[in-house]
Amino acid sequence: MKVPAPLQPLLEDGLIDEVVRPLRSGKEATVYVVRCGEELRCAKVYKDVRQRGFRQAVQYQEGRKVRNTRQARAMEKRTSYGRREQETAWHSAEVNALYRLVAAGVRVPLPQGLFDGVLLMELIVDAGGDVAPRLGDLVLEPQQACAYHARLIGDIVRMLCAGMVHGDLSEYNVLVGTDGPVIIDLPQAVEAAVNNSAQALLERDVANMTSYLGHFAPQLLGTAYGPEIWQLYAAGDLSPDSVLTGQVELDTTPADVVEVLREIEAARQEALMRQEAREAAGQ
């Protein structure tokens, strides 16, 4: 096949030996099957921000570290340099997440490195050696659906224990390989401790998995693993070995409306001061 332009430098540098075929194209990137020596791998080529369907929403960027204050200012002001740096950070986020999650025991594709904006990683295959199907393309028996659900909940817990939330987990970014479900697509993964949306994103990830697998195993519906996992995490009691019940005791304590309004006003004032400081710096 004709070699896509982003992969040409990797061929010239000997990082890959052949582009075999396109694998799939999604909202974030196009993935190719490539040959490296005798081994087949994936090459993920990120789409330009103007072509992507998935935007770098503020909720995913919150809490991410940048190299220095110059980079932070440029990204905030959306200068051409800032946009390039933001793209680089977006690409790097996935490979960094993969390395962290592999170390934490989460089943994700093994990364091989990020080269000129192209992510090389393990090709996930099924028992026959073919490219693994997405979870959303399978029809499952109830027992198998329950087993996959338990495996994915365990990986979500291990991910959170490593400080991360996937943030966009669904049946279409889980592959089913020879050893079961494999979580993919992590450029939007968030840092749980410093992202205000982390709880909502985690609970949505869990709800997506439960809703889909609940079609095949209705006994999964009505469970509350997401809130239970977050309660344990917030209390400092979550570990990869935590025994979960799928049930959670809701806090029925009445909200202190006055205190909530006070916090909202304090946040508004802080935002106004930051805006004034940015405008002063710009002048």
Side-chain angles (χ1 to χ4, degrees):
M1 62 167 288
K2 182 179 179 181
V3 177
L7 295 179
Q8 188 64 46
L10 279 71
L11 273 171
E12 294 171 356
D13 292 341
L15 294 168
I16 60 177
D17 297 303
E18 180 187 4
V19 180
V20 179
R21 63 181 177 89
L23 180 55
R24 62 173 58 96
S25 182
K27 57 191 176 185
E28 269 290 299
T30 300
V31 180
Y32 297 87
V33 177
V34 298
R35 183 174 59 81
C36 302
E38 298 300 317
E39 184 178 356
L40 292 180
R41 294 177 180 169
C42 283
K44 185 172 186 177
V45 179
Y46 294 94
K47 293 181 179 179
D48 184 89
V49 66
R50 292 165 295 185
Q51 299 175 310
R52 291 203 300 259
F54 189 103
R55 299 301 179 189
Q56 297 176 22
V58 172
Q59 68 178 149
Y60 296 105
Q61 300 289 341
E62 183 184 9
R64 288 191 177 178
K65 295 180 180 178
V66 295
R67 291 198 306 267
N68 51 52
T69 54
R70 174 174 177 260
Q71 184 191 38
R73 288 195 301 270
M75 290 169 69
E76 185 176 328
K77 292 180 178 179
R78 302 291 296 165
T79 64
S80 57
Y81 166 73
R83 288 193 296 272
R84 288 195 304 271
E85 289 295 295
Q86 195 162 29
E87 282 295 283
T88 300
W90 189 253
H91 302 164
S92 299
E94 181 161 28
V95 69
N96 292 339
L98 288 172
Y99 280 116
R100 282 174 60 180
L101 295 179
V102 167
V106 180
R107 186 62 177 101
V108 294
L110 298 175
Q112 308 295 331
L114 183 68
F115 307 96
D116 295 326
V118 177
L119 174 59
L120 286 181
M121 56 187 167
E122 172 191 9
L123 176 66
I124 306 299
V125 297
D126 63 14
D130 297 319
V131 173
R134 297 180 300 183
L135 180 63
D137 295 329
L138 299 179
V139 176
L140 304 173
E141 294 296 326
Q143 185 176 1
Q144 192 176 41
C146 288
Y148 286 173
H149 184 266
R151 166 72 173 270
L152 287 163
I153 292 297
D155 273 346
I156 289 169
V157 167
R158 281 184 281 273
M159 190 179 297
L160 187 55
C161 289
M164 303 186 71
V165 175
H166 186 287
D168 191 38
L169 193 59
S170 77
E171 64 270 24
Y172 295 109
N173 45 34
V174 174
L175 302 179
V176 180
T178 54
D179 55 350
V182 181
I183 294 173
I184 63 172
D185 293 339
L186 288 143
Q188 75 294 317
V190 303
E191 297 286 344
V194 292
N195 190 296
N196 289 319
S197 300
Q199 178 180 357
L201 292 172
L202 176 121
E203 292 185 6
R204 187 179 69 184
D205 285 350
V206 173
N208 286 345
M209 292 294 92
T210 301
S211 175
Y212 178 74
L213 292 168
H215 289 304
F216 308 106
Q219 62 268 38
L220 295 174
L221 301 175
T223 57
Y225 285 100
E228 181 184 16
I229 290 168
W230 190 264
Q231 276 193 8
L232 289 170
Y233 171 74
D237 295 330
L238 187 69
S239 77
D241 300 321
S242 292
V243 177
L244 304 176
T245 65
Q247 305 300 319
V248 66
E249 186 174 330
L250 298 177
D251 184 359
T252 58
T253 304
D256 186 339
V257 177
V258 173
E259 181 60 26
V260 170
L261 291 174
R262 186 179 295 118
E263 290 292 332
I264 292 173
E265 178 60 21
R268 190 181 73 84
Q269 292 295 335
E270 184 179 351
L272 286 173
M273 287 189 291
R274 285 201 302 266
Q275 179 65 31
E276 290 172 357
R278 284 195 297 267
E279 291 175 354
Q283 293 173 356

